[in-house]
Short mmCIF file of all heavy atoms in Angstrom, two decimals:
data_model
loop_
_atom_site.label_atom_id
_atom_site.label_comp_id
_atom_site.label_asym_id
_atom_site.label_seq_id
_atom_site.Cartn_x
_atom_site.Cartn_y
_atom_site.Cartn_z
N ASP R 108 116.44 -38.19 4.83
CA ASP R 108 117.49 -37.78 3.90
C ASP R 108 118.11 -36.48 4.42
O ASP R 108 117.66 -35.38 4.09
CB ASP R 108 116.90 -37.59 2.51
CG ASP R 108 117.94 -37.29 1.45
OD1 ASP R 108 119.10 -36.99 1.81
OD2 ASP R 108 117.58 -37.34 0.26
N PHE R 109 119.14 -36.62 5.25
CA PHE R 109 119.77 -35.44 5.85
C PHE R 109 120.47 -34.56 4.82
O PHE R 109 120.55 -33.35 5.00
CB PHE R 109 120.73 -35.85 6.98
CG PHE R 109 120.02 -36.20 8.24
CD1 PHE R 109 119.79 -37.52 8.57
CD2 PHE R 109 119.57 -35.21 9.09
CE1 PHE R 109 119.11 -37.85 9.73
CE2 PHE R 109 118.89 -35.53 10.25
CZ PHE R 109 118.66 -36.86 10.58
N ALA R 110 120.96 -35.16 3.74
CA ALA R 110 121.58 -34.35 2.68
C ALA R 110 120.54 -33.41 2.07
O ALA R 110 120.82 -32.22 1.85
CB ALA R 110 122.19 -35.26 1.61
N TYR R 111 119.34 -33.93 1.83
CA TYR R 111 118.26 -33.09 1.29
C TYR R 111 117.85 -32.03 2.31
O TYR R 111 117.71 -30.85 1.96
CB TYR R 111 117.06 -33.97 0.92
CG TYR R 111 115.83 -33.18 0.57
CD1 TYR R 111 115.71 -32.57 -0.68
CD2 TYR R 111 114.81 -33.03 1.50
CE1 TYR R 111 114.59 -31.82 -0.99
CE2 TYR R 111 113.68 -32.29 1.18
CZ TYR R 111 113.58 -31.67 -0.06
OH TYR R 111 112.46 -30.93 -0.37
N LEU R 112 117.66 -32.44 3.57
CA LEU R 112 117.23 -31.49 4.58
C LEU R 112 118.24 -30.36 4.76
O LEU R 112 117.85 -29.20 4.96
CB LEU R 112 117.00 -32.19 5.93
CG LEU R 112 115.86 -33.20 5.99
CD1 LEU R 112 115.78 -33.83 7.37
CD2 LEU R 112 114.53 -32.56 5.61
N SER R 113 119.51 -30.67 4.67
CA SER R 113 120.54 -29.64 4.88
C SER R 113 120.58 -28.63 3.74
O SER R 113 121.15 -27.54 3.90
CB SER R 113 121.91 -30.28 5.08
OG SER R 113 122.31 -30.96 3.91
N LYS R 114 119.96 -28.94 2.61
CA LYS R 114 119.90 -28.00 1.48
C LYS R 114 118.67 -27.10 1.52
O LYS R 114 118.55 -26.19 0.71
CB LYS R 114 119.92 -28.78 0.16
CG LYS R 114 121.22 -29.51 -0.08
CD LYS R 114 121.16 -30.33 -1.34
CE LYS R 114 122.41 -31.17 -1.49
NZ LYS R 114 122.29 -32.13 -2.59
N LEU R 115 117.76 -27.35 2.45
CA LEU R 115 116.57 -26.52 2.56
C LEU R 115 116.93 -25.12 3.05
O LEU R 115 118.04 -24.89 3.56
CB LEU R 115 115.55 -27.16 3.51
CG LEU R 115 114.97 -28.49 3.06
CD1 LEU R 115 114.10 -29.10 4.17
CD2 LEU R 115 114.16 -28.32 1.78
N ALA R 116 116.01 -24.22 2.92
CA ALA R 116 116.25 -22.83 3.33
C ALA R 116 116.44 -22.74 4.85
O ALA R 116 115.82 -23.50 5.61
CB ALA R 116 115.06 -21.96 2.91
N ASP R 117 117.30 -21.82 5.27
CA ASP R 117 117.49 -21.57 6.70
C ASP R 117 116.16 -21.22 7.34
O ASP R 117 115.32 -20.55 6.73
CB ASP R 117 118.48 -20.42 6.92
CG ASP R 117 119.92 -20.83 6.66
OD1 ASP R 117 120.20 -22.04 6.71
OD2 ASP R 117 120.74 -19.94 6.41
N GLY R 118 115.96 -21.71 8.54
CA GLY R 118 114.73 -21.42 9.28
C GLY R 118 113.63 -22.43 9.06
O GLY R 118 112.64 -22.43 9.79
N THR R 119 113.78 -23.30 8.05
CA THR R 119 112.77 -24.35 7.86
C THR R 119 113.01 -25.44 8.89
O THR R 119 114.13 -25.63 9.37
CB THR R 119 112.83 -24.96 6.45
OG1 THR R 119 114.11 -25.56 6.25
CG2 THR R 119 112.56 -23.91 5.37
N PHE R 120 111.97 -26.14 9.24
CA PHE R 120 112.09 -27.18 10.25
C PHE R 120 113.10 -28.26 9.82
O PHE R 120 113.94 -28.68 10.61
CB PHE R 120 110.73 -27.82 10.55
CG PHE R 120 110.80 -28.85 11.63
CD1 PHE R 120 110.88 -28.47 12.96
CD2 PHE R 120 110.84 -30.21 11.33
CE1 PHE R 120 110.97 -29.41 13.97
CE2 PHE R 120 110.93 -31.16 12.32
CZ PHE R 120 111.00 -30.76 13.66
N GLY R 121 113.03 -28.68 8.57
CA GLY R 121 113.94 -29.71 8.08
C GLY R 121 115.39 -29.30 8.17
O GLY R 121 116.25 -30.06 8.61
N LYS R 122 115.68 -28.07 7.75
CA LYS R 122 117.07 -27.57 7.81
C LYS R 122 117.53 -27.47 9.26
O LYS R 122 118.66 -27.87 9.59
CB LYS R 122 117.14 -26.19 7.14
CG LYS R 122 118.45 -25.47 7.26
CD LYS R 122 119.45 -25.99 6.26
CE LYS R 122 120.69 -25.13 6.24
NZ LYS R 122 121.23 -24.97 4.90
N GLU R 123 116.68 -26.96 10.15
CA GLU R 123 117.06 -26.81 11.56
C GLU R 123 117.26 -28.18 12.21
O GLU R 123 118.16 -28.35 13.03
CB GLU R 123 116.02 -25.98 12.32
CG GLU R 123 115.91 -24.55 11.83
CD GLU R 123 117.25 -23.80 11.82
OE1 GLU R 123 118.01 -23.91 12.82
OE2 GLU R 123 117.55 -23.13 10.83
N TYR R 124 116.44 -29.16 11.83
CA TYR R 124 116.60 -30.52 12.35
C TYR R 124 117.95 -31.10 11.91
O TYR R 124 118.70 -31.64 12.72
CB TYR R 124 115.44 -31.40 11.88
CG TYR R 124 115.52 -32.86 12.30
CD1 TYR R 124 115.53 -33.21 13.65
CD2 TYR R 124 115.57 -33.87 11.36
CE1 TYR R 124 115.59 -34.55 14.04
CE2 TYR R 124 115.63 -35.20 11.74
CZ TYR R 124 115.65 -35.54 13.08
OH TYR R 124 115.71 -36.86 13.46
N ALA R 125 118.27 -30.95 10.63
CA ALA R 125 119.54 -31.47 10.12
C ALA R 125 120.72 -30.77 10.80
O ALA R 125 121.70 -31.43 11.18
CB ALA R 125 119.61 -31.27 8.60
N LYS R 126 120.64 -29.45 10.98
CA LYS R 126 121.73 -28.72 11.64
C LYS R 126 121.88 -29.16 13.10
O LYS R 126 123.00 -29.36 13.57
CB LYS R 126 121.47 -27.20 11.59
CG LYS R 126 121.79 -26.59 10.27
CD LYS R 126 121.64 -25.08 10.14
CE LYS R 126 121.15 -24.28 11.27
NZ LYS R 126 120.91 -22.87 10.95
N PHE R 127 120.77 -29.31 13.80
CA PHE R 127 120.80 -29.72 15.21
C PHE R 127 121.44 -31.09 15.34
O PHE R 127 122.34 -31.29 16.16
CB PHE R 127 119.37 -29.74 15.78
CG PHE R 127 119.29 -30.19 17.20
CD1 PHE R 127 119.43 -29.29 18.24
CD2 PHE R 127 119.07 -31.52 17.52
CE1 PHE R 127 119.36 -29.69 19.56
CE2 PHE R 127 119.00 -31.95 18.83
CZ PHE R 127 119.15 -31.03 19.86
N MET R 128 120.99 -32.03 14.54
CA MET R 128 121.51 -33.39 14.63
C MET R 128 123.01 -33.42 14.30
O MET R 128 123.80 -34.06 14.99
CB MET R 128 120.74 -34.33 13.71
CG MET R 128 119.26 -34.46 14.07
SD MET R 128 118.97 -35.19 15.68
CE MET R 128 119.10 -36.91 15.27
N SER R 129 123.41 -32.71 13.26
CA SER R 129 124.81 -32.67 12.85
C SER R 129 125.69 -31.98 13.89
O SER R 129 126.75 -32.48 14.26
CB SER R 129 124.94 -31.96 11.50
OG SER R 129 126.29 -31.83 11.13
N SER R 130 125.24 -30.84 14.39
CA SER R 130 126.08 -30.06 15.32
C SER R 130 126.27 -30.78 16.65
O SER R 130 127.26 -30.55 17.34
CB SER R 130 125.49 -28.67 15.54
OG SER R 130 124.27 -28.74 16.24
N HIS R 131 125.35 -31.65 17.01
CA HIS R 131 125.47 -32.39 18.27
C HIS R 131 125.93 -33.84 18.06
O HIS R 131 125.99 -34.62 19.01
CB HIS R 131 124.14 -32.36 19.03
CG HIS R 131 123.77 -30.98 19.47
ND1 HIS R 131 124.44 -30.30 20.44
CD2 HIS R 131 122.80 -30.14 19.02
CE1 HIS R 131 123.90 -29.10 20.60
NE2 HIS R 131 122.91 -28.99 19.75
N HIS R 132 126.23 -34.17 16.80
CA HIS R 132 126.69 -35.52 16.45
C HIS R 132 125.68 -36.59 16.87
O HIS R 132 126.03 -37.65 17.36
CB HIS R 132 128.07 -35.82 17.06
CG HIS R 132 129.08 -34.76 16.75
ND1 HIS R 132 129.63 -34.61 15.50
CD2 HIS R 132 129.61 -33.78 17.52
CE1 HIS R 132 130.46 -33.59 15.52
NE2 HIS R 132 130.47 -33.06 16.72
N PHE R 133 124.39 -36.27 16.66
CA PHE R 133 123.30 -37.21 16.95
C PHE R 133 122.87 -37.84 15.63
O PHE R 133 123.00 -37.26 14.57
CB PHE R 133 122.08 -36.50 17.54
CG PHE R 133 122.29 -35.87 18.89
CD1 PHE R 133 121.44 -34.86 19.30
CD2 PHE R 133 123.29 -36.28 19.75
CE1 PHE R 133 121.60 -34.27 20.55
CE2 PHE R 133 123.45 -35.71 21.00
CZ PHE R 133 122.60 -34.69 21.39
N THR R 134 122.30 -39.03 15.73
CA THR R 134 121.64 -39.67 14.59
C THR R 134 120.32 -40.22 15.10
O THR R 134 120.17 -40.51 16.29
CB THR R 134 122.47 -40.83 14.01
OG1 THR R 134 122.44 -41.93 14.91
CG2 THR R 134 123.91 -40.42 13.72
N PRO R 135 119.36 -40.41 14.19
CA PRO R 135 118.09 -41.01 14.62
C PRO R 135 118.29 -42.42 15.19
O PRO R 135 117.49 -42.88 15.99
CB PRO R 135 117.25 -41.06 13.35
CG PRO R 135 117.87 -40.08 12.43
CD PRO R 135 119.33 -40.02 12.79
N ASP R 136 119.36 -43.09 14.79
CA ASP R 136 119.60 -44.46 15.23
C ASP R 136 120.37 -44.54 16.55
O ASP R 136 120.60 -45.64 17.05
CB ASP R 136 120.37 -45.23 14.16
CG ASP R 136 119.59 -45.34 12.86
OD1 ASP R 136 118.35 -45.29 12.91
OD2 ASP R 136 120.23 -45.46 11.80
N SER R 137 120.78 -43.41 17.10
CA SER R 137 121.59 -43.46 18.32
C SER R 137 120.78 -43.64 19.60
O SER R 137 121.35 -43.86 20.66
CB SER R 137 122.48 -42.21 18.43
OG SER R 137 121.72 -41.04 18.48
N ARG R 138 119.49 -43.60 19.51
CA ARG R 138 118.64 -43.84 20.68
C ARG R 138 118.59 -45.33 20.98
O ARG R 138 118.55 -46.16 20.08
CB ARG R 138 117.22 -43.34 20.44
CG ARG R 138 117.14 -41.87 20.15
CD ARG R 138 116.88 -41.13 21.41
NE ARG R 138 116.88 -39.70 21.13
CZ ARG R 138 117.27 -38.82 22.01
NH1 ARG R 138 117.70 -39.20 23.18
NH2 ARG R 138 117.24 -37.55 21.73
#
Side-chain angles (χ1 to χ4, degrees):
D108 185 348
F109 282 99
Y111 170 78
L112 294 179
S113 64
K114 294 176 186 171
L115 295 174
D117 285 338
T119 61
F120 183 78
K122 173 80 171 218
E123 296 306 315
Y124 177 61
K126 282 183 358 187
F127 178 87
M128 297 297 277
S129 176
S130 68
H131 295 290
H132 308 288
F133 295 158
T134 72
D136 298 333
S137 61
R138 300 266 177 212

